[in-house]
């Protein structure tokens, strides 16, 4: 190892980079950085004979492999093959294109471009880094700013953009010359859409072309052309026409920042109401209730999920939340995608829909009091992702269905909260009736709708493959197969892996031998990834020893290897009706880690001594080896416990567990734990074709709660232990008490309609008042109220102990002071982290730095919170899809339903039998649409005229459920019709 | 925003300023920059620029007591006194203009105090202080610009100034830093001579050795680093110290040649500083 001294004659090769930046707090800083110019930065072409001699080596002597192929693909113009050098705009506009597997290989990414891209868009930068890392795409980052031939100093009066363009051209011309020196005839081609840059390139004899021209020369040009972002074409023709501005201009960043700082503006995440696309809300710290944002003007190009800055409107413009259902496709049905974007943004019909609200604002009631409204004045961060949807049939002209003419069409996203997206395509005919994936590129002031571009087609609407993939994309579930680097982390022996026979093996180090215990697992039928197993046995002193044994995943998944990284990104296993998307490769999840019966497995055990009253006498944690005696399903376990003729030790230990679990549950309930509810159903599939045949509501047995109680107990015990050991970094789970205002509406509804009083000052009070909400006539009412109460709750979240004060750790729903997730490491990443921390806490192994760094854990928590939520939503959406499918082709069934919500022009009905909610609009009731009177104070809707009905909140109604295809979203779902 | 080390390094084994893992920054130094002082030096390691002047060894008893009482007040640090040897008093002034944000550092600044103590202890160990009983060697260091490896630069500048002052020492104490690229990536190379940006991102240590021997005089590690990787870092830093040593000796030698040309010393006269320069 030698360190290199810079030779004195190398001094001309040092230059300083000076730039000025402003910090978040508005300070302006002048930064001076040294830049050492060198001549040993390789071109990375396999053809090159010069560079390998000088190529750098790492401290361990390894050389970076050369990336660019010696025989790159060519086009007509460059038959000898070419390397591509995109500029920043090309990447900004068409990253999807570069990710395409049919073209775009051998690409040189310049450092100038990479840095600029990072400044412009971090997500795109990350995608690009992903491309560079994937070996098959052959992307190479060339650090042109550090090579003395290609370094470019900024001239006085030169803009930074011009300098960067010049740097790109200089690098491209160097590359061409360098390859020519190597006797190669490969062209290095600059891809740019900047007219000025292209002209200069031409005059300097640098090979360059526009992205569009380049793509046109490729096979499959039509499909690929669609993937270039819309804004790029506009970039060229921008000055041509003076567009009229439809939306108010956004404030400048500094104006927004100052405003937020001194409290005149507010920052928050923009949410759209699922029932009304023109109504959004935003929760800001300054107000207890969310601010309303009404109408296109005020929403001002914000899309659900964006981080925006809003300004509160004067009090005379305050309104009450809408009591009307407004659906985008119903109102803007006839818009022409190609049409001129002139005129007012608020169309006549939209205005009429909004008028209603202004009228309403006069009639005051406790509930209907006008709420503060706000308007969006700027976006801090767009949270645009890729959206799944389908092309609006009516926006496609007849000619385009056959021809190859490019035209604008509307894409209607599956997510109703996202406005329709305008995109230009040459393949409109082919895309009709398909599920397609699009990206939003921009939303300019002069465009009524956001503008996007096509990414790829998932397949025919309503085919299982397309719909499942759509669902996974929509909830951002990583469903691709595990890459090779991950599979390489698996044990070599594969399925033949066994717990080592000899207890001297390093795997046995510090493990307790619990193979002699009568351990069994209880799971849903057909469960393959068995996370947990239990045992209980009496102790001589009359107490019980109870053990919860959790699959020892952390033994197989070591911190910071590829598998761990992948799992931390996936965050959780996602369960769909017909599919499971694993967090860990199958081999681990369903075999090596899974606590299968009759075989020895590594486990992480929590062992308590409990007395007769189920109080904890002592607890200890240990890594162990266990051998499960049996894997029961809930039903089997229940049957065996109930069967008095079975008197073997295993059954008796289960009875002990059941006895203790009931006491534990009682204690928890006494402490104020809530039993909440969500409508859960299970789809039964035909075993051969896996077509759904029936829908059943889930049944809960005693054994379900047996397992649940002990898992809760284990989680709580572990939470205490890791918090003791690592008060800053322990990974915990909290459930914040819901703000009181969340319950205002429900409490009022219950009071007005049913005369119940809902108290919500503590979880115990809430639990008790929920228990009191019963109607002897209608047993389901209590469940209904619980379902509605659940929706008022905050969602539980993972966090790092150091980020919150101890009182904030509380889990509201479980009424526990401290809580974590420990019991399902096969399917949740948080549990895996907890395992590692617990292992360190009991001195089993030293803590890996990754599990110790607080900032890293915070990032992990943030990710798994999102993943966890998305997994739940995806699971529910999958059930909804299959419920729709199971109704398909069948006669309409009549079922009981309950009114969940009443609007002035419709109402929402929940059908417990299928666990689905459906919207019934007035215009669905009869034709012509009946007259109606809506009383928001008593939550009643009375119709007259063509059909007379009275609809009240919580009312039991008879509905006919049949399957309908929602023209708007293209989803098949349960449609409802009021009977009687 | 330019790239950071952890994202750029794995891509092409290049650091944020274009150096390789084992490249030192440009080291520029000059001796006897202020003729009025007993000894003085100016040193740049990249954009870290420091100046040092030495006063003494002076034997005034009054001043010494004043200095040692002032030690408490002014934040100057003394070492090596007692046992009849000279005291090495170090005072560091960090210019308010030296970093990106103009920051006024008070005399009582803990970090400066720590630097002073570290330096004075290290220097006292290298100097033959026993030759100057009851005296004080006062070093005054000024930081003009900061860009990482501050302690190393201060120590190297002190060494040169002490040589200039003609104070006997067993060898030149030299220092350098070494860091470690993020352990998460596959290429976790040790890096040498960190700049300010790298110091913020990466774990690093400052190591000082006596001349080009492996005798460690200072080892400061304030960040967390995996114990297993420490050896690599120390090895690399020790190695870098040898390079620094070479540079400093060259500076000293050129200064000596210059003096001979000027006729300030006769060639071959046994001046202490000229004694063993044979490069």
């Amino acid at each position: 190892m030698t360190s290199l001294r810079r030779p004195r004659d190398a001094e001309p090769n040092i230059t300083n980079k000076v730039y000025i930046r402003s910090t978040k707090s508005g300070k302006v800083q002048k930064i001076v950085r040294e830049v050492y110019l060198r001549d040993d930065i390789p071109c990375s072409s396999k053809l090159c004979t010069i560079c390998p001699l000088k190529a750098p080596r790492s401290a361990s002597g390894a050389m970076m492999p050369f990336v660019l192929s010696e025989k790159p693909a060519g086009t007509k113009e460059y038959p000898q093959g070419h390397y591509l050098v995109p500029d920043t705009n090309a990447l900004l506009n068409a990253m999807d294109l570069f990710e395409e597997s049919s073209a775009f290989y051998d690409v040189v990414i310049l450092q100038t471009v990479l840095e600029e891209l990072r400044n412009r868009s971090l997500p795109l930068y990350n995608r690009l880094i992903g491309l560079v890392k994937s070996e098959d795409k052959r992307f190479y980052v060339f650090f042109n700013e550090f090579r003395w031939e290609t370094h470019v100093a900024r001239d006085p009066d030169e803009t930074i953009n011009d300098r960067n363009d010049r740097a790109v051209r200089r690098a491209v011309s160097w590359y061409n010359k360098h390859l020519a020196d190597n006797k190669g005839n490969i062209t290095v081609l600059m891809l740019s859409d900047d007219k000025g840059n292209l002209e200069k390139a031409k005059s300097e004899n640098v090979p360059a072309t526009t992205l569009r021209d380049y793509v046109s020369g490729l096979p499959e040009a039509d499909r690929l052309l669609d993937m270039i972002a819309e804004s790029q074409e506009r970039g060229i023709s921008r000055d041509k026409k003076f567009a009229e501005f439809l939306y108010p201009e956004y404030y400048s960043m500094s104006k927004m920042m100052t405003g937020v700082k001194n409290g005149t503006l507010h920052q928050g995440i923009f949410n759209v109401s699922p029932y009304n696309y023109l109504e959004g809300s935003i929760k800001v710290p300054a107000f207890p209730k969310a601010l309303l944002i009404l109408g296109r003007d005020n929403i001002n190009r914000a899309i659900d999920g964006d981080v925006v800055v809003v300004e509160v409107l004067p009090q005379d413009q305050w309104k009450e939340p809408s009591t009307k259902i407004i659906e985008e496709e119903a109102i803007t049905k006839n818009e022409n995608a190609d049409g001129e974007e002139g005129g007012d943004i608020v169309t006549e019909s939209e205005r009429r829909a909004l008028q209603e609200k202004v009228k309403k604002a006069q009639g005051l009631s406790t509930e209907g009091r006008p709420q503060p409204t706000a308007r969006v004045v700027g976006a801090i961060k767009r949270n645009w992702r890729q959206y799944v949807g389908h092309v609006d049939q009516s926006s496609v002209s007849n000619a385009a269905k056959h021809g190859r003419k490019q035209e604008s069409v509307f894409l209607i996203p599956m997510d109703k909260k996202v406005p329709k997206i305008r995109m230009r395509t040459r393949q409109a005919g082919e895309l009709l009736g398909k599920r397609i994936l699009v990206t939003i590129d921009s939303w300019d002031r002069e465009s009524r709708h956001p503008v996007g571009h096509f990414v790829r087609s998932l397949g025919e609407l309503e085919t299982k493959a397309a719909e499942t993939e759509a669902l996974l994309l929509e909830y951002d579930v990583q469903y691709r197969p595990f890459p090779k680097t991950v599979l390489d982390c698996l044990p070599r022996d594969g399925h033949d892996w066994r717990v080592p026979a000899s207890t001297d093996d390093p795997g046995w180090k510090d493990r307790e031998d619990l193979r002699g215990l009568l351990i069994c697992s209880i799971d849903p039928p057909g469960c393959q990834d068995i996370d947990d197993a239990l045992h209980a046995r009496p102790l001589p002193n009359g107490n019980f020893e109870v053990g919860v044994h959790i699959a020892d995943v952390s033994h197989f998944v070591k911190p910071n290897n590829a598998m761990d990284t992948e799992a931390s990104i996936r965050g959780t296993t996602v369960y769909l009706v017909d599919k499971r998307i694993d967090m860990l490769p199958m081999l681990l999840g369903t075999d090596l880690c899974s606590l299968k019966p009759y075989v020895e497995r590594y486990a992480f055990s929590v062992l308590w001594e409990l007395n007769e009253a189920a109080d904890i006498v002592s607890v200890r944690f240990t890594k162990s080896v266990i051998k499960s005696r049996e894997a029961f399903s809930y039903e089997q376990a229940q049957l065996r416990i109930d069967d008095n003729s079975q008197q073997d030790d295993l059954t008796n230990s289960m009875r002990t567990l059941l006895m203790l679990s009931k006491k534990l549950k009682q204690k928890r309930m006494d402490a104020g734990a809530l039993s909440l509810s969500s409508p859960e159903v299970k789809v039964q599939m035909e075993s051969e074709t896996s077509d759904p045949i029936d829908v059943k509501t889930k049944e809960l047995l005693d054994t379900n709660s047996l397992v649940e109680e002990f898992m809760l107990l284990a989680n709580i015990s572990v939470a205490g232990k890791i918090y003791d050991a690592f008060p800053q970094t322990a990974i915990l789970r909290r459930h914040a008490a819901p703000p009181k205002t969340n319950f205002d509406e429900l409490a009022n509804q219950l009071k007005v309609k049913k005369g119940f009083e809902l108290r919500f000052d503590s979880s115990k009070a809430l639990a008790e008042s929920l228990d009191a909400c019963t109607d002897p006539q209608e047993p389901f009412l209590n469940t209904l109220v619980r379902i509605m109460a659940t929706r008022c709750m905050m969602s539980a979240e993972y966090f790092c102990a150091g980020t919150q004060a101890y009182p904030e750790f509380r889990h509201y729903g479980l009424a526990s002071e401290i809580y974590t997730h420990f019991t399902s490491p096969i399917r949740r990443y948080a549990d895996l982290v907890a395992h590692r921390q617990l292992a360190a806490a009991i001195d089993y192994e030293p803590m890996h730095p990754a599990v110790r760094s607080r900032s890293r854990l915070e990032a992990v928590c943030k990710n798994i919170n999102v993943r966890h939520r998305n997994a739940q939503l995806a699971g529910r959406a999958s059930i909804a899809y299959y419920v729709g499918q199971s109704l398909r082709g069948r006669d309409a069934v009549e079922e009981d339903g309950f009114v969940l919500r009443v609007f002035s022009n419709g109402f929402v009905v929940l059908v417990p039998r299928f666990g689905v909610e459906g919207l019934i609009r007035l215009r669905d009731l009869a034709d012509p649409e009946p007259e109606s009177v809506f009383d928001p104070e008593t939550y009643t809707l009375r119709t007259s005229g063509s059909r007379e009905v009275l609809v009240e909140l919580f009312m039991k109604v008879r509905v006919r459920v049949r399957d309908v295809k929602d023209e708007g979203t293209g989803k098949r779902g349960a449609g409802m019709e009021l009977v009687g | 925003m330019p790239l950071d080390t952890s994202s750029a390094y794995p891509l092409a084994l290049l650091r944020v300023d274009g150096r390789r893992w084992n490249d030192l920054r440009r080291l520029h130094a000059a001796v006897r920059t202020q003729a009025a002082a007993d000894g003085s030096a100016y040193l740049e390691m990249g954009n870290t620029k420091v100046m040092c002047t030495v006063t003494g060894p002076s034997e005034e008893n009054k001043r010494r007591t004043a200095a040692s009482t002032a030690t408490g007040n002014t934040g100057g640090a003394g070492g090596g006194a007692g046992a009849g040897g000279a005291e090495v008093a170090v005072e560091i002034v960090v210019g308010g203009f030296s970093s990106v944000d103009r920051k006024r550092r008070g005399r009582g600044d803990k970090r400066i105090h720590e630097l002073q103590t570290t330096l004075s202890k290290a220097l006292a160990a290298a100097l033959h202080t026993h030759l100057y009983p009851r005296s004080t060697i006062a070093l005054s260091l000024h930081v003009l610009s900061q860009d990482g490896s501050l302690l190393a630069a201060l120590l190297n500048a002190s060494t040169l100034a002490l040589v200039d002052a003609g104070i006997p020492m067993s060898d030149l104490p030299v220092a350098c830093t070494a860091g470690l690229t993020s352990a998460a990536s596959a290429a976790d190379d040790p890096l040498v001579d960190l700049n300010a940006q790298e110091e913020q991102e990466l774990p690093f240590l400052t190591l000082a050795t006596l001349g080009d021997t492996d005798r460690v005089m200072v080892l400061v590690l304030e960040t967390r680093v995996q114990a297993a990787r420490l050896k690599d870092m120390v090895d690399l830093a020790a190695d870098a110290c040898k390079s620094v040593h070479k540079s400093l000796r060259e500076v000293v030698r050129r200064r000596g040649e210059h003096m001979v040309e000027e006729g300030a010393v006769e060639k071959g006269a046994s001046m202490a500083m000229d004694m063993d320069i044979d490069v």
Side-chain angles (χ1 to χ4, degrees), chain A residues 574-593:
Chain A
V574 181
Y575 293 89
L576 304 183
V577 171
D578 59 332
K579 203 172 177 173
R580 191 184 65 221
I581 291 98
D582 288 314
M583 177 179 92
L584 293 170
M586 282 277 270
L587 175 67
L588 289 187
T590 60
D591 191 0
L592 302 194
C593 290

Side-chain angles (χ1 to χ4, degrees), chain A residues 73-75 82 84 96-106 136-138 214-215 218-225 227:
Chain A
T75 55
H82 55 53
L84 298 172
D96 300 325
L97 210 51
F98 286 89
E99 284 169 348
E100 186 57 35
S101 58
S102 68
F104 291 93
Y105 287 87
D106 300 305
D136 52 330
K137 281 296 274 179
R138 303 196 294 273
Y214 173 73
V215 173
L218 295 174
E220 285 195 86
D222 278 342
R223 189 174 64 84
L224 295 177
L225 276 175
M227 293 168 66

Side-chain angles (χ1 to χ4, degrees), chain A residues 5-9 11, chain B residues 26-32 42-44 160 163-164 172 243-265 273-274 276-279:
Chain A
R5 202 151 54 106
R6 230 145 233 289
R8 283 149 72 58
D9 54 29
E11 289 193 10
Chain B
R26 189 183 64 115
L27 193 141
H28 167 78
V31 183
R32 180 141 316 167
Y42 170 78
L43 180 124
E44 291 181 5
L160 288 178
V163 168
D164 186 32
L172 306 182
S243 296
V244 173
H245 179 248
K246 232 175 182 174
S247 303
L248 295 195
R249 277 184 64 150
E250 204 170 291
V251 172
V252 172
R253 185 177 57 83
R254 265 187 290 132
R255 176 70 205 160
E257 281 171 358
H258 188 68
M259 287 168 80
V260 171
E261 274 166 33
E262 274 184 341
V265 266
M273 58 166 284
D274 212 19
D276 59 350
I277 308 289
D278 53 357
V279 185

Side-chain angles (χ1 to χ4, degrees), chain B residues 162-186:
Chain B
L162 287 167
V163 168
D164 186 32
I167 299 170
M169 55 179 88
S170 31
D171 203 340
L172 306 182
V174 288
C176 195
T177 53
L180 191 68
T181 51
S182 92
S185 72

Side-chain angles (χ1 to χ4, degrees), chain A residues 808-874:
Chain A
E808 302 294 317
F809 288 6
R810 212 180 149 67
H811 197 292
Y812 182 81
L814 297 173
S816 169
E817 255 177 51
I818 187 166
Y819 192 67
T820 189
H821 269 166
F822 172 75
T823 52
S824 306
I826 297 180
R827 59 187 178 89
R828 287 187 307 229
Y829 189 71
D831 302 53
L832 184 51
V833 177
H835 272 235
R836 287 176 187 151
Q837 293 185 336
L838 185 63
I842 60 169
D843 293 326
Y844 173 79
E845 63 187 5
M847 188 90 135
H848 190 273
V851 198
R852 205 171 42 199
S853 136
R854 188 169 136 184
S855 59
R856 185 149 169 182
L857 282 171
E858 277 173 38
V860 166
C861 286
K862 206 170 152 194
N863 180 46
I864 52 185
N865 280 329
V866 174
R867 297 292 173 186
H868 185 79
R869 179 151 185 77
N870 281 349
Q872 281 181 331
L873 293 175

